[in-house]
Amino acid sequence: MTVYDVLDMLANGMSSEEIIDDFPELALTDIQACLAYAADREQNQLIIS
């Protein structure tokens, strides 16, 4: 399971609870960590126009 996989499931409308039901090895803190990683990565992107 990758961060991309979790973010993709969330983007496609799955709730955290549904993801945990389908993948019981994950915890809510894992999903929150994926979101925090994505937010941090996005914040650090340099946009050149």
Side-chain angles (χ1 to χ4, degrees), residues 1 3-5 14 16 18 22-23 25 29-31 36 48:
M1 178 71 57
V3 170
Y4 175 84
D5 294 330
M14 288 183 77
S16 297
E18 290 172 322
D22 287 353
F23 302 93
E25 67 274 15
T29 54
D30 297 320
I31 294 170
I48 300 173

Side-chain angles (χ1 to χ4, degrees), residues 3-25:
V3 170
Y4 175 84
D5 294 330
V6 173
L7 294 174
D8 188 53
M9 287 183 270
L10 290 168
N12 283 301
M14 288 183 77
S15 69
S16 297
E17 292 79 16
E18 290 172 322
I19 295 170
I20 292 168
D21 285 344
D22 287 353
F23 302 93
E25 67 274 15

